[in-house]
Amino acid sequence: MSKEFWNSDIETIKIQDLKDLQFKRLKNIIKYVYDNNKIYHDKLKDCNFKPHVIKNLRDIEKIPFLTKQDLRDFYPFGLLCTQIDDIVEVHASSGTTGKPVVGPYSKKDLEIWGEVMARSLWANGVRKSDRVQNSYGYGLFTGAHGFEKGAEKIGAMLITISSGNTRRQVNIMKDFSSTVLACTPSYSMYIAEVAEEMGYDPLNDFNLKIGCFGAESWSEEMRTNIEKRWGINAHEHYGLTEIIGPGIVTECNEKKLHINADHFYCEVIDPKTNETLNPGEKGELVFTTLTKEALPMLRFRTKDLAVYDEITCDCGRTLPIQSRIIGRSDDMMKIKGVIVFPSQIEDALMRVDGISDNYQIIKTTKNNITSLSIEFEPTDERFKDGNLDDLEKLAEDEIFTILNLKVPVKAIKPRSIPRSTGKAKRVIQR
Ligand SMILES: [Zn+2]
């Protein structure tokens, strides 16, 4: 019989033992940062912070936050806490909204990364006998490399196809009998679409069992659609270049995201007042890396909104849980006084029969007033049936139910929205 957890000592640790471990590691990492990087040292000193004031975990609140801007200010290697020669691998974010954020790793950091990725892939059901089609883009972006390290640690067959060339993805999936697909959720749907065009039935013609999806926000409704279309179990992955890449959490078979909290300490704060919130309250995730050597993060503000909880899970893991990301504070839109997250719109659209998973939210700003409209592609069959006005009305009603906001919705011809092989562009400005 196969073992249940990758690392049962940690994954089923008593919560008090976890807290003791976190406290010990927190004290060490603060002292380490304080002693090993001058910029970091001065930043802490400027806030009158001294490492010895940390007497319990809650004292972490005495440490100032670290933001993406801080990382950009000292781009690329200003905040390193090791020697530059100790760096054995470097990744970076795309930098679409400014300078890229750099993720340097020491040898020990890579071991940690492999460990947390193995935990999460193992929890998704990945075993040595599996064949992992790694369709995340291989490049500076952390995604593909994290999945590679975890799959190798488990000893699965890794198929390093990268993203793009979608007909080839389908052929390789068929010829190599891939059992696991790792990519963005939207790309998995595009691969299914191309497979159909090539005359295959995604549900019956492949050997796929598990999907490891991340790097973009996707709703539960989208998850259900993907699972039905491929006949797989679709799992969420959450990662940040600043923290380690993917591997911050492990999604179990109860579809709960357990934080790998022996390495990543999680707080939730009110993004407006910066006040620390209690478990169960929604706010911005703040992470502290407890073990990273090259570029440790003390209280990094993620801008991701979620809920943190220390509740028991039926899977047997005791590691704390974070909800799926409710939205990025950056993605939040305020329309006629109503707070709107793109994922809420996706939820509404996916509830309507006959709407495909391809849609775009169009933001228009006129005289400083922002309004929204939506374009979606009906499924091929629904498009042929005509009477698209009815479908548009159904979608508008669903959106109104969720947001209490009237948003005009328009059905457009199937395959007219550009497809992405990485992160889908759901919101466009017109
Ligand atoms: Zn669980």
Side-chain angles (χ1 to χ4, degrees), residues 100-366:
V101 167
V102 179
Y105 302 80
S106 71
K107 220 168 170 162
K108 184 184 155 215
D109 294 339
L110 289 186
E111 275 162 27
I112 294 168
W113 199 13
E115 157 70 21
V116 291
M117 278 310 294
R119 275 183 211 173
S120 64
L121 292 176
W122 189 269
N124 295 169
V126 179
R127 298 292 180 271
K128 191 176 165 11
S129 54
D130 278 301
R131 302 171 182 196
V132 181
Q133 181 157 342
N134 195 359
S135 305
Y136 283 102
Y138 271 79
L140 273 178
F141 170 60
T142 58
H145 307 282
F147 285 91
E148 172 160 320
K149 284 168 177 57
E152 276 180 345
K153 199 144 196 166
I154 289 172
M157 181 202 287
L158 183 76
I159 305 167
T160 58
I161 190 166
S162 188
S163 62
N165 201 341
T166 309
R167 293 179 76 88
R168 186 158 171 256
Q169 300 276 352
V170 175
N171 288 330
I172 292 290
M173 187 183 286
K174 182 80 191 154
D175 297 346
F176 291 11
S177 250
S178 308
T179 58
V180 180
L181 176 64
C183 61
T184 59
S186 57
Y187 191 41
S188 79
M189 288 301 245
Y190 181 38
I191 298 174
E193 188 176 288
V194 172
E196 277 167 5
E197 279 167 19
M198 291 165 73
Y200 290 114
D201 170 9
L203 192 57
N204 296 309
D205 290 343
F206 299 91
N207 211 10
L208 219 54
K209 291 182 314 191
I210 300 165
C212 301
F213 302 126
E216 68 186 7
S217 66
W218 51 309
S219 60
E220 274 306 314
E221 304 288 332
M222 177 71 93
R223 165 145 50 195
T224 310
N225 287 354
I226 294 175
E227 291 188 327
K228 279 196 200 142
R229 193 147 175 200
W230 280 110
I232 59 173
N233 218 340
H235 282 287
E236 163 87 340
H237 285 260
Y238 172 69
L240 295 162
T241 308
E242 296 84 350
I243 303 302
I244 198 143
I248 298 174
V249 299
T250 291
E251 192 181 75
C252 67
N253 49 17
E254 302 293 322
K255 305 250 160 102
K256 292 272 185 285
L257 299 170
H258 293 273
I259 302 165
N260 287 310
D262 52 329
H263 295 293
F264 315 113
Y265 182 76
C266 178
E267 297 169 88
V268 176
I269 61 161
D270 180 322
K272 285 205 189 89
T273 63
N274 296 348
E275 212 179 299
T276 307
L277 300 176
N278 292 316
E281 292 180 313
K282 183 178 98 178
E284 181 181 341
L285 296 174
V286 173
F287 281 104
T288 297
T289 61
L290 295 172
T291 47
K292 228 165 68 159
E293 270 183 350
L295 185 48
M297 294 283 120
L298 300 183
R299 304 194 88 202
F300 176 73
R301 289 189 62 158
T302 64
K303 294 194 171 180
D304 286 333
L305 304 179
V307 178
Y308 167 93
D309 244 323
E310 294 169 2
I311 45 174
T312 51
C313 182
D314 289 342
C315 76
R317 285 177 186 77
T318 50
L319 291 175
I321 289 169
Q322 77 178 50
S323 68
R324 300 189 72 205
I325 303 302
I326 296 155
R328 281 188 69 75
S329 53
D330 281 355
D331 293 342
M332 193 181 87
M333 302 177 279
K334 210 165 184 185
I335 310 295
K336 293 175 190 152
V338 181
I339 305 271
V340 179
F341 287 106
S343 58
Q344 293 174 300
I345 291 177
E346 181 175 296
D347 252 329
L349 293 176
M350 297 296 115
R351 280 179 204 183
V352 182
D353 265 351
I355 295 186
S356 78
D357 45 283
N358 295 295
Y359 68 92
Q360 261 180 338
I361 301 166
I362 297 133
K363 253 168 100 174
T364 326
T365 309
K366 218 176 182 178

